[in-house]
Amino acid sequence: MSIANYNAKVTEAKWQKAWEEQACFKTRHEAGQPKYYVLEMFPYPSGRIHMGHLRNYTIGDVIARVKRAQGYNVMHPMGWDAFGLPAENAAIQNKVHPAKWTYENIAHMRTQLKTIGLSYDWDLEIATCSPDYYRHEQKMFLDFLKHGLAYRKESMVNWDPVDNTVLANEQVIDGRGWRSGALVERKKLHQWFLKISDFSEDLLEGLAGLTDWPEHVRLMQEKWIGKSQGLQLYFEMEGRSDLLTVFTTRPDTIFGATFAAISANHPLATELAENNPQIKNFIDECNRLGMAEEIIEKAEKNGFDTGIRLKHPFLENFSIPLYIANFVLMDYGTGAIFGCPAHDQRDFDFARKYHLPIKTVIAPEGNNDFVVTTEPYTEAGIVIRSEFLNGLTIDQAKKLVCDKIAASGSGKKTTSYRLRDWGVSRQRYWGCPIPIIYCDICGAVPVPEDQLPVTLPEDVTFDTPGNPLDKHPTWKHVSCPQCKQPATRETDTFDTFFESSWYFARFTAPHSARPLDKDACREWLPVDQYIGGVEHAVLHLLYARFFTRALKHCGYLDITEPFSGLLTQGMVCQESYKDEHGNWLYPEEVTRQKDGSATHVKTGRPVTIGRIEKMSKSKKNVVDPAGIIDSYGADTARLFMLSDSPPERDLEWSDSGIDGAWRYVNRLWKLVSAAAAKPASGAPSPVTLRAIHKTIAHVTEDLSKFHLNRAVARIRELTNTIASLPANESPLEGLTIITRLLQPIIPHLAEECWQILGHKTLLSLEKWPEANPAYLTEDTVTLAIQLNGKLKTTIELAAGCAQPEVETAVLSLPTIIQAMNGKEPRKIIVVPNRVVNIVL
Ligand code: ANZ
Ligand code: ZN
């Protein structure tokens, strides 16, 4: 009998329909059962699912399915992070309304997700661009405002003068707007901010409790929050009565100070520019650099000597020049520094350029005459050339300087954080409108709650640059809620990180009339396992942690941390190819030769094989999951996504890998079909039972630790064992367990096999198999060891151990070595599993 290949397409559709009809994945609320909330980072509806999505959602689905089978009340939702710039770009390029574009993409991607067999409760679906969703965040924002967690301030932004819009730092590339290519400028704009800085310390301390987060993510957040203990020093300025406050984390280097510098946006710089056009020019030049820290860091150090001199706090008759410098940021510390060129790279570069003295004050231990020459010394050491600090360690010196300065009233100890308040205003159409009305008389007035939501007008055009909300003829013109005089709406919308900062909580009761349903939040939060890309290690995860605290502060929630467990999955990578002219080529445009080289399919010309990198459209090293699912089925794609690498590592796409998964799927189907068609044969041997139950135990443990690739490997190993059983042993029990263990991994085929094996239930609703402990213990026996017939000791060995192994084990026992006193045994008699007699 020959069995045809497995028809994935028909079978997968059949089971997806069955799951839907029986509402298998609806969130359960069974009393007495523990809850488990598993969540994958929701996608931006760009139009199509990519490999990164497939990997992310497959991992999440395995976890959800296992937990469900283990009896947990599982919640596993999916939704759409639906506001954002690509929709507006599409509107500009294809003249399609952002809403239409977004909702069509959602519809298509939902269909795609359904073909993967993911066990979502689709009743919980949300799209953040719906007023039903964003109305609630307008209310939250108004509550933040009431509680002092939101405020408006004028601040510097990156301004694209061609697109007439603010750019995020990431949208500034080499000082130019990412889309227009125009040189970016700094501009002052009124913007709304959320006071994330109120929570700096709490966000930092909270990291310690996130023991189920990857260490590197916690470290990245810690770095981002950037706590430093330092000193604010009030410098006297010669010829002026006011003081200049500088911030330093290295007060120990105070005797090495040879200059000071303020930011181009420091109030003192603004003041000096008023009657000095050269200074004004210099400031303008600095501002043309934009706001992005990486750019400022890379840019050549530039300074302008103000002519003002600062008195050294400890040295009589010693003063240092004050510069305006492009590398000093206004929004960190106090926007003013003292420079110590010998022990800081930036200060060193600056001193070199402006011929400022370099005074070494820290030396490697035991090298008191040390002098910095070609590079700054930034390591640990001992203070030298510093009067009362000489001989102290850096830490001792820091403390002494801080104490002295504090005692004299010329400064104070401070803690500063790198974390800045979160600017949430964006000059965009496709976002949540900020519910504020500006009145000439009353100022910024919150939109009254009974007038929420402020919805986006639909009749907008994208023909000219700038924000369509601002250009709309009527939308922004309203009367002031307080004095009823003519007023205008805020035309900025929220940063789209706003929506993703609380969606996990909304999923617990997505149709509630209130923003968050307290009971539902108490039942489900925090998220037990969150899964997503490491690119969100800082911003999204930090904003969500902040939002949770802010919502708690305003009485919406009881929890502090939103995600107890976090898994950051690696990227899906593939080789990239370039033709002779340096153009990227798609994998299907390339033929690999036997010798490993590559040629262009069309021209036969040589192709350069590039690095294995993250799949990206720009490098054309992409594989569309839809195509893979169409030709091999979702199970094969899922199996491959899980097989080769642990979830947190990068995964290299390979055709042979997908073929391997496809062959396994077919092999299993054939094994099960053949076994079910044959009359029953003998029961499995103890050895087989042991293999089966050990696999259950190991796979269960691997899955609980998210060692998904290891779990797959063990199931494959058991499949090999079962496939090669002797004819008198039935494979049915083994195949049944394999089927059940594969339910979370390749759910469609598992359902199919379950049915072929004669079951009438849905496997997706079945309990997780349990290992019988009787088969897990290694069988061991105790052997008595005699020397010339006299009992000396005993030994534990695996049952059925062969004679040579027994001899080696026995002769290496200390008691026996001693008793034999250096003599060679004449003979060793082994009674299997019972006695060993050594004859001397
Ligand atoms: C003197 C000094 C000597 C410094 C030395 C460093 C090394 P972290 O540790 O990252 O917090 N700084 C302070 N405010 C700044 C600003 N607004 N823009 C640019 N740089 C600023 O960095 C603190 C150090 O960065 C501070 O300590 C200050 O330089 C500089 F051997 O003061 B230091
Ligand atoms: Zn008014």
Side-chain angles (χ1 to χ4, degrees):
M1 181 179 75
S2 95
I3 302 174
N5 264 349
Y6 171 59
N7 188 334
K9 216 172 222 166
V10 172
T11 309
E12 292 186 349
K14 174 174 85 183
W15 293 113
Q16 284 161 15
K17 187 156 165 271
W19 295 332
E20 197 165 330
E21 279 167 5
Q22 300 202 29
C24 287
F25 311 127
K26 237 190 118 37
T27 309
R28 270 184 302 203
H29 301 263
E30 257 168 57
Q33 295 302 99
K35 68 97 182 176
Y36 198 87
Y37 182 0
V38 54
L39 180 67
E40 297 106 61
M41 291 182 184
F42 66 163
Y44 177 76
S46 56
R48 299 182 74 78
I49 297 295
H50 59 63
M51 274 303 166
H53 294 133
L54 178 63
R55 188 173 192 204
N56 188 180
Y57 307 151
T58 301
I59 294 167
D61 197 47
V62 172
I63 298 170
R65 284 172 174 273
V66 171
K67 292 290 175 186
R68 224 178 262 118
Q70 289 175 343
Y72 288 82
N73 287 331
V74 169
M75 180 158 76
H76 189 212
M78 179 43 79
W80 311 96
D81 190 10
F83 275 138
L85 203 51
E88 285 186 57
N89 291 343
I92 294 165
Q93 278 153 24
N94 312 329
K95 305 247 176 278
V96 41
H97 193 278
K100 184 168 187 286
W101 184 86
T102 304
Y103 280 108
E104 282 175 5
N105 284 351
I106 288 177
H108 182 67
M109 288 171 77
R110 188 192 298 112
T111 311
Q112 286 196 306
L113 287 186
K114 289 194 172 176
T115 65
I116 307 173
L118 303 165
S119 64
Y120 294 126
D121 178 352
W122 283 102
D123 292 346
L124 306 180
E125 181 181 0
I126 51 186
T128 59
C129 62
S130 152
D132 286 341
Y133 183 83
Y134 70 67
R135 66 188 305 152
H136 302 300
E137 62 186 42
Q138 292 179 337
K139 161 106 170 72
M140 288 170 183
F141 176 76
L142 296 181
D143 279 329
F144 291 167
L145 207 56
K146 273 187 213 149
H147 284 85
L149 293 174
Y151 64 96
R152 188 169 180 247
K153 111 178 159 190
E154 211 179 21
S155 80
M156 286 288 177
V157 293
N158 297 304
W159 182 255
D160 184 321
V162 170
D163 273 358
N164 281 323
T165 185
V166 170
L167 299 176
N169 284 342
E170 304 78 63
Q171 294 169 330
V172 180
I173 296 157
D174 291 332
R176 290 174 183 275
W178 65 312
R179 218 141 47 91
S180 69
L183 276 174
V184 167
E185 297 168 1
R186 268 187 227 188
K187 192 169 156 172
K188 259 193 170 173
L189 269 191
H190 278 292
Q191 308 241 93
W192 288 98
F193 287 84
L194 297 189
K195 280 209 110 183
I196 191 168
S197 62
D198 270 9
F199 297 88
S200 302
E201 188 60 35
D202 197 51
L203 287 165
L204 184 64
E205 278 174 6
L207 291 173
L210 297 175
T211 46
D212 289 330
W213 280 38
E215 180 68 20
H216 67 277
V217 173
R218 287 191 282 159
L219 278 175
M220 280 160 84
Q221 294 220 348
E222 186 182 325
K223 261 189 89 180
W224 191 267
I225 296 167
K227 179 177 184 173
S228 31
Q229 301 286 1
L231 178 69
Q232 282 191 5
L233 256 170
Y234 317 139
F235 275 93
E236 286 178 35
M237 293 187 267
E238 285 176 4
R240 288 178 66 109
S241 56
D242 54 340
L243 299 169
L244 180 72
T245 308
V246 312
F247 172 68
T248 177
T249 50
R250 294 292 307 273
D252 53 300
T253 65
I254 185 68
F255 287 94
T258 58
F259 72 94
I262 52 175
S263 159
N265 303 113
H266 193 282
L268 178 59
T270 315
E271 179 200 317
L272 296 173
E274 269 166 27
N275 32 40
N276 186 332
Q278 267 179 299
I279 292 187
K280 178 152 191 345
N281 271 344
F282 179 75
I283 292 174
D284 289 346
E285 193 186 304
C286 290
N287 285 344
R288 275 196 285 278
L289 209 56
M291 294 288 292
E293 244 174 76
E294 313 80 70
I295 296 176
I296 293 172
E297 208 131 279
K298 269 193 257 155
E300 187 181 338
K301 310 275 167 288
N302 279 326
F304 188 98
D305 189 349
T306 63
I308 296 175
R309 297 191 71 88
L310 307 188
K311 290 192 195 159
H312 193 278
F314 297 117
L315 292 168
E316 287 289 327
N317 305 323
F318 182 70
S319 65
I320 54 178
L322 176 66
Y323 283 76
I324 300 170
N326 65 348
F327 67 89
V328 183
L329 312 166
M330 190 54 221
D331 54 359
Y332 186 61
T334 60
I337 63 155
F338 76 74
C340 177
H343 305 292
D344 181 89
Q345 186 67 51
R346 291 174 304 180
D347 297 349
F348 184 85
D349 297 342
F350 193 80
R352 273 290 168 89
K353 180 159 175 189
Y354 295 102
H355 308 291
L356 296 162
I358 297 172
K359 187 177 162 198
T360 308
V361 290
I362 307 288
E365 196 154 3
N367 189 357
N368 280 0
D369 301 323
F370 178 67
V371 177
V372 161
T373 51
T374 52
E375 55 178 1
Y377 179 73
T378 55
E379 311 284 305
I382 299 297
V383 183
I384 55 169
R385 301 188 189 99
S386 301
E387 308 215 335
F388 59 90
L389 298 177
N390 287 343
L392 299 183
T393 64
I394 290 178
D395 283 340
Q396 289 166 338
K398 275 184 184 173
K399 186 168 181 315
L400 188 54
V401 172
C402 285
D403 290 346
K404 282 209 179 227
I405 293 285
S408 72
S410 53
K412 62 166 193 236
K413 276 193 240 183
T414 56
T415 305
S416 53
Y417 299 87
R418 207 153 264 289
L419 186 63
R420 318 284 157 80
D421 278 341
W422 174 14
V424 291
S425 301
R426 297 290 180 274
Q427 294 67 40
R428 303 269 175 233
Y429 168 73
W430 196 232
C432 170
I434 301 179
I436 294 287
I437 290 167
Y438 297 105
C439 166
D440 284 343
I441 303 152
C442 312
V445 182
V447 173
E449 276 175 25
D450 58 7
Q451 288 171 32
L452 296 183
V454 178
T455 51
L456 291 168
E458 282 169 27
D459 52 336
V460 285
T461 57
F462 293 86
D463 303 340
T464 48
N467 179 358
L469 290 180
D470 208 25
K471 293 178 298 178
H472 191 280
T474 55
W475 183 78
K476 72 174 175 184
H477 301 290
V478 288
S479 59
C480 168
Q482 279 173 16
C483 72
K484 311 298 173 207
Q485 293 300 304
T488 53
R489 284 193 190 285
E490 169 67 84
T491 57
D492 287 352
T493 53
F494 286 132
D495 178 1
T496 59
F497 275 117
F498 215 98
E499 284 82 57
S500 52
S501 292
W502 67 284
Y503 78 110
F504 55 89
R506 180 72 185 166
F507 269 139
T508 64
H511 311 298
S512 170
R514 332 236 330 247
L516 295 176
D517 177 312
K518 272 210 155 170
D519 290 335
C521 287
R522 270 191 207 117
E523 182 179 356
W524 290 106
L525 295 181
V527 173
D528 295 279
Q529 190 60 45
Y530 197 32
I531 307 147
V534 76
E535 65 275 19
H536 296 295
V538 178
L539 291 185
H540 161 57
L541 289 169
L542 198 60
Y543 290 148
R545 294 182 63 222
F546 154 66
F547 231 80
T548 305
R549 286 162 168 80
L551 288 174
K552 183 181 181 191
H553 186 81
C554 298
Y556 285 83
L557 281 176
D558 304 324
I559 54 158
T560 310
E561 290 292 345
F563 313 117
S564 8
L566 174 70
L567 193 159
T568 50
Q569 99 259 358
M571 298 179 298
V572 185
C573 302
Q574 196 182 207
E575 253 177 11
S576 52
Y577 305 105
K578 269 185 184 175
D579 70 12
E580 294 162 293
H581 314 293
N583 302 314
W584 298 103
L585 297 172
Y586 286 107
E588 38 304 357
E589 296 177 287
V590 175
T591 318
R592 291 299 292 266
Q593 304 300 328
K594 282 209 186 70
D595 63 0
S597 69
T599 52
H600 197 308
V601 173
K602 234 171 31 205
T603 61
R605 305 286 306 159
V607 162
T608 317
I609 302 171
R611 283 193 306 147
I612 297 164
E613 320 188 42
K614 177 184 176 173
M615 285 190 178
S616 87
K617 273 190 209 144
S618 63
K619 301 201 170 91
K620 296 195 176 175
N621 61 337
V622 282
V623 177
D624 183 358
I628 297 297
I629 291 169
D630 197 47
S631 16
Y632 295 92
D635 284 338
T636 296
R638 292 172 63 121
L639 184 62
F640 176 60
M641 285 290 122
L642 300 167
S643 297
D644 277 10
S645 328
E648 60 282 358
R649 294 264 196 81
D650 287 353
L651 170 80
E652 194 193 330
W653 177 267
S654 75
D655 292 344
S656 59
I658 197 85
D659 284 338
W662 163 241
R663 279 197 305 276
Y664 178 79
V665 162
N666 277 284
R667 178 172 178 227
L668 182 68
W669 180 72
K670 284 177 190 170
L671 277 173
V672 171
S673 303
K678 262 209 305 227
S681 48
S685 72
V687 176
T688 308
L689 285 172
R690 196 166 297 136
I692 291 173
H693 286 270
K694 270 191 187 158
T695 306
I696 298 176
H698 284 144
V699 168
T700 306
E701 164 146 9
D702 286 339
L703 291 174
S704 75
K705 293 179 174 162
F706 311 134
H707 297 159
L708 308 186
N709 61 320
R710 241 198 259 172
V712 169
R714 292 193 201 271
I715 300 171
R716 283 187 172 218
E717 212 174 283
L718 181 63
T719 313
N720 290 340
T721 306
I722 300 299
S724 52
L725 288 182
N728 62 354
E729 252 193 76
S730 166
L732 281 175
E733 187 157 349
L735 289 171
T736 303
I737 292 300
I738 290 170
T739 298
R740 293 172 71 189
L741 294 176
L742 283 170
Q743 181 272 122
I745 296 166
I746 46 173
H748 310 89
L749 176 60
E751 286 286 3
E752 184 72 10
C753 291
W754 187 245
Q755 189 185 51
I756 296 171
L757 290 167
H759 299 274
K760 300 278 181 267
T761 54
L762 280 177
L763 180 59
S764 296
L765 294 173
E766 287 293 314
K767 288 254 161 308
W768 191 246
E770 271 180 42
N772 181 344
Y775 294 113
L776 298 183
T777 49
E778 279 291 343
D779 262 11
T780 57
V781 286
T782 308
L783 288 87
I785 304 171
Q786 302 171 341
L787 202 62
N788 289 334
K790 263 204 220 131
L791 181 68
K792 287 282 166 204
T793 181
T794 61
I795 188 170
E796 253 217 333
L797 289 173
C801 221
Q803 171 122 10
E805 283 144 46
V806 176
E807 285 182 12
T808 323
V810 167
L811 293 177
S812 63
L813 287 174
T815 339
I816 297 302
I817 294 171
Q818 206 184 4
M820 286 180 22
N821 203 9
K823 295 196 195 96
E824 286 292 316
R826 277 199 288 132
K827 203 152 98 188
I828 302 176
I829 304 154
V830 177
V831 183
N833 295 342
R834 298 196 40 207
V835 185
V836 182
N837 188 13
I838 305 168
V839 185
L840 291 179

